[in-house]
Amino acid sequence: KGVNPGKSLTAQVRDSTGFLEAVSEVASHLLARTPDKAAFRLSEAQAFIEAMSEEMATGLFYHDTATDPDKFMGLAPRFNLLSAQSGGQIIDAGGTGSVNTSVWFVVWSPNTTHLLYPEGSMAGLQREDWGEETKELADGSMYRVVREYFKWDIGMSVRDYRYIARVANIDSATPPSDIESFLIKAFYRLRQPRAFGSRVVLYCNTTIKEQLHLQARSFANTQLSITETNGIEQVKFMGYPIKEVDALVNTEARVI
């Protein structure tokens, strides 16, 4: 007998990229009086690097191209409605107010979820020395400065939403004592988390990480564990690392 042709079930999604730019200035006369000029310039640059890193972390979860086209689409706008097609990947932890937060399961791989950057650019934070230039003030006066340019091109592609799960509506004021049960439910929303040579990571903020750490110290707990690396304790869920992300806020609106 013959074989009837078929086709895969896919949907076309256009993922955009965004970028951040910043310029650091140091007065030349200050730099000239500094014994270690490279260390001084690095200390000035660190504030810009930290600020851009925090903005990108916020974007990873909360940026929405529908409200700000200059930015890339984060995770929360993709998983913010229980009745949507992706709603089955959302676990409702019961919080009803406006002091909620979320825990995210992300399966990273080229076939599930990955970051991206525009063709012709470079991945990661780029730092360029512009050297010494003259700066003119509004009153016409001028002085010499040393400038550095920072740029970061980034976007995110969710190729298969079944490899992401969100535990939403977690009351951050009074975290539930059975938060582990919600994590178990979210884990089983993931489709074959070990597939494609992927990497599973959990993301939460400090409030939830503290709660999970306390629960992990209970001898009765079997899903949460504490390992030690270089003298630093690391909390894991079912063997998967839990990453603390300050960008995840405690003021999320209820997901319905």
Side-chain angles (χ1 to χ4, degrees):
K1 295 183 178 181
V3 179
N4 293 326
K7 62 179 181 179
S8 62
L9 180 62
T10 61
Q12 186 173 1
V13 177
R14 183 181 297 275
D15 282 313
S16 62
T17 59
F19 68 90
L20 284 177
E21 291 180 296
V23 176
S24 168
E25 288 184 350
V26 177
S28 297
H29 71 277
L30 291 177
L31 187 63
R33 291 170 171 79
T34 304
D36 192 340
K37 295 177 174 55
F40 178 71
R41 294 190 68 183
L42 178 59
S43 68
E44 292 294 311
Q46 283 175 340
F48 289 84
I49 295 172
E50 176 65 22
M52 295 178 77
S53 297
E54 290 179 2
E55 176 64 16
M56 285 305 181
T58 298
L60 184 67
F61 295 100
Y62 296 118
H63 281 179
D64 189 349
T65 53
T67 56
D68 196 340
D70 292 337
K71 299 178 180 180
F72 66 96
M73 181 70 82
L75 291 175
R78 303 174 193 251
F79 299 86
N80 65 347
L81 193 62
L82 295 174
S83 60
Q85 187 173 7
S86 61
Q89 303 301 110
I90 304 173
I91 303 299
D92 185 354
T96 58
S98 59
V99 289
N100 298 313
T101 188
S102 297
V103 174
W104 291 89
F105 287 71
V106 181
V107 181
W108 295 101
S109 84
N111 294 299
T112 55
T113 302
H114 61 84
L115 301 181
L116 52 88
Y117 57 93
E119 184 178 4
S121 64
M122 299 178 64
L125 177 62
Q126 307 301 312
R127 182 183 173 197
E128 182 180 337
D129 187 353
W130 279 3
E132 190 174 25
E133 299 179 354
T134 300
K135 181 175 182 176
E136 183 174 354
L137 301 181
D139 61 2
S141 61
M142 296 179 290
Y143 67 100
R144 301 287 284 177
V145 296
V146 177
R147 287 178 173 150
E148 279 189 300
Y149 171 69
F150 303 88
K151 184 178 181 181
W152 197 344
D153 294 294
I154 191 172
M156 182 170 59
S157 176
V158 179
R159 299 180 63 87
D160 194 332
Y161 69 86
R162 299 172 300 174
Y163 290 86
I164 294 176
R166 177 184 186 181
V167 181
N169 303 331
I170 302 174
D171 190 333
S172 60
T174 310
S177 58
D178 60 341
I179 189 172
E180 181 186 357
S181 63
F182 295 113
L183 298 184
I184 294 173
K185 291 179 180 179
F187 176 79
Y188 283 101
R189 294 296 191 274
L190 301 175
R191 178 178 173 83
Q192 300 176 354
R194 297 182 183 274
F196 305 116
S198 57
R199 184 169 61 96
V200 182
V201 183
L202 282 72
Y203 299 95
C204 67
N205 63 16
T206 304
T207 302
I208 302 304
K209 184 70 174 291
E210 177 184 3
Q211 180 75 7
L212 294 174
H213 198 153
L214 291 171
Q215 291 186 14
R217 297 180 66 86
S218 170
F219 291 106
N221 195 301
T222 58
Q223 305 302 327
L224 293 167
S225 61
I226 300 176
T227 60
E228 188 173 305
T229 303
N230 297 326
I232 300 175
E233 288 188 343
Q234 183 179 31
V235 184
K236 293 185 176 182
F237 172 76
M238 296 180 65
Y240 298 110
I242 302 174
K243 300 295 184 180
E244 183 180 347
V245 181
D246 292 336
L248 286 169
V249 300
N250 285 324
T251 54
E252 292 180 355
R254 175 170 169 76
V255 176
I256 57 174

